[in-house]
Structure formats: C-alpha cells, structure tokens
Amino acid sequence: MKFSFGKKTLLVHVLVWCCYIALGWVQFYMDFKSVPVQFYYGRIFSIVIFYINYLYLVPRFLLKRNIKFYILSVVLLLIVNSLLHSFIEPDFRHMQFDRINEVTNKVEEFKPVLPNFEDFKDFKDAELRPKPKLSWVFKYGMPSLIPLLLIVIGAIIRMYAEWKETEDLKKEIAAKKVSSELQFLKAQLNPHFLFNSLNTIYSLSVKQSVETSDAVINLSEMMRYMLYEADKDLVPLEKELDYVKNYIQLQRLRLADDQEVTLNIHGDYYHKKIQPLLFVSFIENAFKYGTDFTGKSQIKIIIDIKGDTLTFF
C-alpha cells in the first residue's frame, strides 16, 4: 500500500524531532556547558534509523509477516549504530576535566574560606586516573537503547497508520458498493415501472375511465420525483412517502378489487431525510406476487416512525 506524508503529518514529525534534539541539547549543555558536534551526529543518525525502519523495514518485512528478516534487519541496524557511536562518542573525560578546571578556578578564589580544598583536588585527581574499561555490553549495548526505542515506536505508529488506512478504504469500498447497488436498482426500477404504468393508463383510456387524468397526474409526479429528486443521497421523507402513495394509487387502478390494499403511516415524518426509493421495490413485489388470477390482492403496508427510527412492514 502506498504511503505518503500529508502536510499535517510532516509538521508533526518536524516538531517532534526538534523537541527530541532540543531536550538532549539542553541536558548536555547543563552537564558540560558545551555541546560537541558529535552530539548532532548521534541525534541525526537516530532519526535516520527511525525512518529506515518506519519507511522501509516495517512495510517490507513486518507488515508482510516476514518476522525473521525484520528482526535480523533491526539487529544489523543496531550493530551499525553501536559501531558508529563508538567512533563519534564525545571524549567525556576530557570534557569533565575542563569542567573541573573551571570549577577549580572559581573555588581557588575563595581558598582561605575553604580549609578542605585539598580534598577537592584529590577528587579532581581521582577523575583523571584511568578507569576500568566497561564491558562490551555497556559499551555497545547502552548506546542502542534509544535507537531501539525509536524502532519500536516507529513500528507501532506505522502499523497503526496502515491499519487505519485499510479500515478507511474498506469503508469507502462498502459505501461505493451500496451506492452502486442503489443506482442499479433505480436503473432496473424506472423502465419496468414506467411500462407497467403506461399499460395501466392505456387500459383506462380505452375504457374511457374518469380515473385516467388522475393516473396521468400521479405518473407525472412520480417521474418528476425520480428524475429530479431520487438522484440525491438523501431526500425528504415526506416526498419519499408521497412517491409511495402515488405508486400504490397507480397499482390500485390495475386491480379488480383494491379493498384489501391498505397503507398506514404512523408518526411524524416532516423535517426528516432518507435514501430515495428504498421501499418501492418491496411494494412492487407485493403487488406482483400478491395478486391472484382474478385480480384480487391482500396487501397491508405499515410505516411506523419514532424519532430517528423508521420501521417498514
């Protein structure tokens, strides 16, 4: 899956790394009153390690469940970091010596007041004595703690970002699928309904029925609704129910006995919206399969509206 930085994400990354460098710089300066150039090298390489893991190792190995190669890559990255750190690590003993000299010079001005000044000089000499070498664990392992923490954080952030993007894509696909199915339903419904309605009106006109004009008006209202309203994502529930009423009225004209065809609407349907043409396919099937060969039907339609919930029976 292709991954890219947005402007907000890029800004967050820049701010986080600025804080990361600034906090380390302040701590370093408070301890030694100076910040060597090696400090910046170490911080920059830690950031490089983060993005090698974030942009390459996690999507290339971890997200593809290639755990062995991912762990091996991380170990190699940490080894390189430790080796590089051993070359660029500042000379802390020299920096401590400079710091002690600075403090010594300040203290010597008040030597008469401090009878135990020689003890301080012994402390200075102790700092300059050769110290026992640290084991390889502390020498090469300790510098890898921060890069390892950055690798873990980067992996968690990247995996969450990929999961979030996948979920958003699933929702988008599901929404498009529902929209496509609804459009397909409309494409099937309109011609089928139109031909049936025209046949009904034709039969009424042949019989010179007084209901012909009402049927033409009902069909005109329904076609206007389907052409200019039903292409929207949401329509007023009031107009959708008017469409249902007009549809049922046209279907009644085709029946020999429409006494058993009822429509009951309960509740307040004003100032509410709904997706268009959700009910008509069910009602159409009721008239299609609920009518016997003599033209009699027993169709009961109930729409109950309570708050934001609509029940269709």
Side-chain angles (χ1 to χ4, degrees):
M1 184 178 296
K2 189 176 180 181
F3 184 84
S4 60
F5 284 104
K7 291 183 179 180
K8 292 184 179 179
T9 304
L10 182 61
L11 180 61
V12 171
H13 279 246
V14 172
L15 291 177
V16 168
W17 292 125
C18 287
C19 293
Y20 170 69
I21 295 175
L23 290 175
W25 188 93
V26 170
Q27 182 63 43
F28 215 103
Y29 186 81
M30 290 177 63
D31 291 338
F32 302 106
K33 296 302 179 182
S34 64
V35 181
V37 69
Q38 292 92 332
F39 165 81
Y40 300 102
Y41 293 156
R43 286 296 190 272
I44 290 174
F45 191 68
S46 296
I47 296 174
V48 170
I49 287 177
F50 175 87
Y51 284 108
I52 290 176
N53 174 69
Y54 184 78
L55 298 175
Y56 182 76
L57 297 183
V58 173
R60 182 70 179 272
F61 299 118
L62 187 59
L63 293 178
K64 294 182 179 179
R65 302 183 183 277
N66 199 340
I67 308 298
K68 293 182 179 179
F69 279 97
Y70 178 73
I71 295 176
L72 179 62
S73 301
V74 169
V75 171
L76 291 176
L77 201 58
L78 293 176
I79 291 175
V80 172
N81 170 77
S82 297
L83 294 175
L84 183 63
H85 191 274
S86 65
F87 287 107
I88 67 174
E89 182 180 16
D91 187 356
F92 291 105
R93 294 186 63 193
H94 179 72
M95 297 179 68
Q96 287 174 344
F97 176 71
D98 293 341
R99 180 63 176 153
I100 290 173
N101 276 338
E102 180 185 347
V103 176
T104 300
N105 293 333
K106 291 182 179 180
V107 173
E108 283 179 348
E109 299 176 3
F110 303 96
K111 185 175 181 181
V113 185
L114 299 174
N116 297 325
F117 178 69
E118 296 297 329
D119 295 338
F120 181 79
K121 292 181 64 178
D122 292 339
F123 170 76
K124 172 186 172 183
D125 295 336
E127 287 295 322
L128 298 178
R129 295 192 192 105
K131 295 184 178 181
K133 294 182 179 180
L134 296 175
S135 66
W136 67 272
V137 175
F138 290 98
K139 185 176 181 180
Y140 296 104
M142 294 299 292
S144 298
L145 290 180
I146 292 180
L148 179 60
L149 181 61
L150 292 176
I151 287 174
V152 173
I153 294 175
I156 293 174
I157 295 175
R158 184 60 190 269
M159 292 178 68
Y160 173 78
E162 293 288 338
W163 173 83
K164 187 68 168 56
E165 188 174 353
T166 301
E167 289 299 311
D168 292 341
L169 183 61
K170 287 181 179 179
K171 291 179 181 179
E172 183 180 353
I173 292 174
K176 288 183 177 179
K177 181 180 179 182
V178 171
S179 178
S180 298
E181 290 175 348
L182 188 59
Q183 293 298 329
F184 180 72
L185 177 63
K186 292 177 183 179
Q188 284 186 317
L189 173 68
N190 295 351
H192 182 263
F193 164 75
L194 179 60
F195 291 142
N196 285 341
S197 299
L198 289 176
N199 288 334
T200 300
I201 294 174
Y202 174 75
S203 299
L204 293 175
S205 63
V206 169
K207 298 176 183 178
Q208 296 182 351
S209 172
V210 294
E211 296 178 325
T212 303
S213 59
D214 292 336
V216 172
I217 293 176
N218 285 342
L219 180 60
S220 174
E221 292 294 328
M222 295 181 66
M223 294 303 298
R224 182 180 292 107
Y225 176 77
M226 287 190 292
L227 289 175
Y228 301 110
E229 299 286 343
D231 59 338
K232 301 176 183 177
D233 293 333
L234 295 174
V235 296
L237 179 58
E238 179 184 1
K239 292 185 177 181
E240 178 72 9
L241 295 180
D242 287 340
Y243 174 80
V244 169
K245 294 175 184 177
N246 288 329
Y247 182 88
I248 294 174
Q249 186 60 33
L250 275 178
Q251 293 289 356
R252 279 175 170 168
L253 297 177
R254 301 172 55 201
L255 302 177
D257 183 4
D258 63 350
Q259 296 299 317
E260 297 297 325
V261 177
T262 60
L263 170 65
N264 296 316
I265 301 175
H266 306 288
D268 180 19
Y269 52 82
Y270 295 98
H271 309 296
K272 301 180 186 296
K273 291 190 175 183
I274 194 171
Q275 286 184 319
L277 305 180
L278 290 182
F279 309 122
V280 67
S281 59
F282 297 101
I283 298 174
E284 181 183 23
N285 284 333
F287 280 100
K288 182 177 180 181
Y289 300 109
T291 304
D292 61 18
F293 66 94
T294 61
K296 294 183 178 180
S297 297
Q298 185 176 5
I299 300 172
K300 185 177 182 181
I301 302 168
I302 300 175
I303 297 177
D304 188 20
I305 305 158
K306 294 181 180 179
D308 293 332
T309 302
L310 185 146
T311 304
F312 174 73
F313 172 82

